[in-house]
């Protein structure tokens, strides 16, 4: 658990540097959650709860702590990700080649779908922004458009962009 604490301290310091106006409690909780995620190597909330180094008698209490943090309307993922995303996009555009953005949807639960926009960087896809919607099928164009519009201002001015997605994203609206 000491290694999680060390990683959390490092993440917290980086958040403080990049987001100086972020609330200390929010920063420390997010840093602890990120460090735990790196330690357990999963985004599954129950696995995170089991690995979260908090004083709690039961795992479900740590699960509740996570869901309250993630459900907090003051925790705005786009605002938190922006300084990190801008740096990733600048690096991806540095060689003058098109910046490859990848749009992908994943089933998160029986009721929820997640839409993520990532940038290809080397052999990795680095998440930039995402949306989670309660739906049984594909997330529609309006949500796709919203996530693209959130990230567009973060792109370097001269960057060329190549948007990639699987066959489910071949709508005329999105291509436009």
């Amino acid at each position: 658990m000491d290694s999680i604490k060390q990683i959390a301290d490092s993440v917290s310091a980086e958040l403080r540097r990049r987001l100086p106006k972020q609330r200390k409690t929010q920063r420390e909780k997010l840093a602890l959650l990120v460090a735990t995620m790196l330690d357990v190597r999963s985004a599954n909330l129950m696995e995170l709860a089991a690995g979260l180094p908090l004083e709690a008698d039961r795992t479900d209490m740590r699960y509740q702590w996570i869901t309250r943090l993630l459900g907090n309307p003051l925790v705005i993922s786009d605002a938190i990700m922006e300084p990190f995303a801008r740096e990733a996009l600048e690096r991806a555009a540095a060689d003058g080649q098109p910046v490859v953005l990848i749009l992908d949807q994943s089933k998160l639960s029986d009721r929820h779908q997640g839409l993520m926009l990532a940038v290809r960087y080397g052999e990795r896809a680095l998440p930039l922004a995402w949306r989670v919607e309660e739906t049984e099928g594909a997330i529609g164009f309006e949500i796709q458009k919203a996530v693209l519009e959130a990230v567009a201002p973060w792109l370097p001015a001269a960057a060329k962009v190549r948007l990639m997605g699987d066959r489910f994203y071949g709508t005329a609206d999105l291509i436009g």
Side-chain angles (χ1 to χ4, degrees), residues 44-60:
N44 179 285
L45 296 187
M46 284 308 292
E47 291 177 25
L48 286 171
L52 194 63
L54 290 178
E55 294 292 326
D57 295 334
R58 300 184 326 260
T59 300
D60 66 316

Side-chain angles (χ1 to χ4, degrees), residues 115 138-148 171-176:
L115 180 69
I139 289 178
F141 172 69
E142 288 305 315
I143 304 302
Q144 295 168 358
K145 183 179 177 189
V147 77
L148 290 167
T171 65
D173 286 335
L174 183 59
I175 291 168

Side-chain angles (χ1 to χ4, degrees), residues 5 12 14 21 29 41-42 65 82 89 91 167 172:
K5 177 73 171 113
S12 181
E14 190 63 18
K21 295 179 181 177
K29 288 178 180 181
R41 296 177 174 257
S42 175
W65 181 91
E82 182 179 357
L89 290 165
R91 288 184 183 193
R167 68 181 184 268

